[in-house]
Amino acid sequence: MEESLKERPALGARQIRLVSFQRSKIDQRTRCEFTIADLDNIDLNYIAISYLWGDPTIVGHIECTQGIKDIPLTASAQKIVDFFSDRRLSSRYFWIDSLCINQNDPHDKSEQVALMGNIYSSAFYVVAWLDPTEEGELAIRCMFELGIYFIHCKRTQVTPTSQAICELPGWSKGSQKWKAIDHLLDCPYFGRVWIVQELVMAPACQPPNQPDLKMGVNVQCNNLYIPWSLFMVAINGLFPLAWQLSSHKIFKERPTFPPPVLRFARDIAGLRSRRLQDQSITLLEALEQAATRQATLGSDKVFAVINLVQHDAIVSALRPDYSISTETVFTNAAAALLDESHDFGALHHAGVGRPDRLPGLPSWVADWRSSVFLNAFGRSGPYDIAHFSASGTEQAISNVDRREWSLAIKIIPADRVASIIMPPFGEPVSRIILTRALEKAYQALGTSSFYSGLHQSTIVSFLSGGALEDHKGIVFGPYLHAMRTRTYDMDSAELEKHFGACFSGGRVIFTTHGHGLLGWGPPGLRAGDMICIVIGAKTPFAIRPIKEKQSGDPKSDRWQLVGECYVQGLMHGEGLEMGERQDCVLV
């Protein structure tokens, strides 16, 4: 009998399954029933649940009517079914991905995942479901209180401080309220890649007099919930106080700062605000959001955010397909990025110089699985790559060969890597402070290229823990000679700023042979790698030659992209006069 039952009701184009629950008065068992809805003509209010899957182990099943097989439930899905099947809400219909998508059918999964942006935007409201615990319930209460407090501060023009909050009733240092907030800051829900789409695409909260009433997003733990707007008031109020709260031991110490939940929630809120104002979100922005979050499957780093992009051709090219490999998904995404933006922003995430890459990935394709943002330069603040113009105002020139998945670009070779020094990671801040004293001495000596080079080499000596001092004859000799003979202005403050900013991610210091260039490169940089200007790119890149025999051209050159670099003296177009433009094929 079980073999004759269906997995799920069949669907047509742009149709979805909604689930409802009934608890039997006879045996007290909960059963579910599916209703088919057409996304282009929704006539049912339904609640979409956004939640953390967690442990994939099956802990139970729910019986279905309509000749459907019992649906397996994980622990998180079981808690959701138990909770919502007992509640009388404004709608009895729900969309819960683990129930409404046949997870064992790649075709059904691909088709439904492609519709998830519409599924969440068409919902009556979205529940951001936190794991039901006592600390979680108290955290919801506390975020409500903090939200009201920060609104009051804004209205009365009072600047909130950690001390002022600790003087509120029940908020003294070490109180259960602070422990509950600390618990919320460790909540893994906000680090899940799928919630970006689910919360960004959720409907806006509409006033009650609107004909198409929508209630937006509620962050909920058991019976307690807080509207997303008030939740974000609390998050935005806590964010500038995070350092005070951590230094005063109110928040526990964490390996990253600020606590990821504060950053993740603010990122989602920013994207959500842009979508609701009909501002476009680029594919690169969406993928950069995905890179810092957790996903079970590598391909979900693309599929989970593709619906944020308002570009029909890109969305069509990257339509979810769980029958293809993660390598293919990432390569398709890289080609789509070049089609969309016609620049090389995505190359800053690519290169064989990055650790733990997928082995079959072309070097110019980013591996979005990594949860570590291994960029030398970020997308905002003083280290934004937009501040650099290594190729001046030149436009990107590229061509993707989809048969061999190669990328043809134009480059100007600058120099080859001579020496590599691994920087220490123990006390970078104290070393940078020492260089500030040297800055005053440098200014007193003047701005000649000799003193500029001497000062810069001293900075690097401090930053590298003295490693350069043991190799004066190899490194400093040609480097200082080049500094004496070059005429361009060396900005030592810029050198100190960027070298000090790049101590994370395993970046290495390197020097080059002919021109005595000095820079930071990716962890996998090797002596002999070529530093080049990529026409159309913001920063220099390192590339590595490989030889392949091509039919009719036995000496054909192919290169691997190693990664982006910061090179003192090549960040603002200086390298455009260092040589002729050459063709380069990255594989």
Side-chain angles (χ1 to χ4, degrees), residues 76 148 152 203 222 254 303 347 350 366 389 406 447 479 513 532 536 554:
S76 55
I148 298 300
H152 175 74
N222 282 335
R254 288 178 169 83
F303 296 157
L347 291 188
S389 53
S406 63
T447 59
Y479 174 65
H513 281 288
C532 67

Side-chain angles (χ1 to χ4, degrees), residues 429-445 455 458-459 462 492 496:
V429 175
S430 63
R431 295 185 182 281
I432 293 170
I433 291 173
L434 286 172
T435 64
R436 291 174 183 159
L438 295 170
E439 181 73 24
K440 295 181 180 179
Y442 161 70
Q443 291 173 349
L445 291 170
H455 172 67
T458 307
I459 288 176
F462 274 115
S492 60
E496 179 181 329

Side-chain angles (χ1 to χ4, degrees), residues 82-101:
D82 290 345
F83 179 85
F84 286 104
S85 62
D86 275 344
R87 299 299 183 278
R88 294 197 174 195
L89 302 172
S90 50
S91 173
R92 70 184 187 92
Y93 298 102
F94 298 89
W95 192 86
I96 305 169
D97 59 358
S98 60
L99 277 72
C100 297
I101 298 176

